[in-house]
Amino acid sequence: MSRANSAWALKWFSFFFAGTLAIYILRGFAVLSMLPGYVLWILLLLTLVSGLLTALQLLR
């Protein structure tokens, strides 16, 4: 397996993880308090799915 094949999965995981973390912190500081809770849950699930895809790509 080449690094190019697993690079896309790692980029998506990093993107979703950073986005989820930023929104979680900003929501904690009440900057994004108007954001519904299900948006944070969706981002968390996307992070977990992309993390699993990254792990599967690295195992191949």
Side-chain angles (χ1 to χ4, degrees):
M1 180 187 76
S2 69
R3 290 192 184 265
N5 289 341
S6 64
W8 66 270
L10 186 59
K11 285 179 186 177
W12 279 107
F13 172 71
S14 301
F15 173 74
F16 285 129
F17 182 73
T20 304
L21 187 63
I23 288 178
Y24 182 75
I25 289 171
L26 289 174
R27 198 164 181 244
F29 286 134
V31 174
L32 292 176
S33 60
M34 71 290 214
L35 196 67
Y38 65 84
V39 173
L40 189 60
W41 281 107
I42 289 171
L43 283 173
L44 185 62
L45 288 174
L46 284 172
T47 302
L48 290 174
V49 168
S50 64
L52 288 174
L53 286 175
T54 302
L56 288 175
Q57 286 292 327
L58 292 175
L59 287 176
R60 290 176 119 197

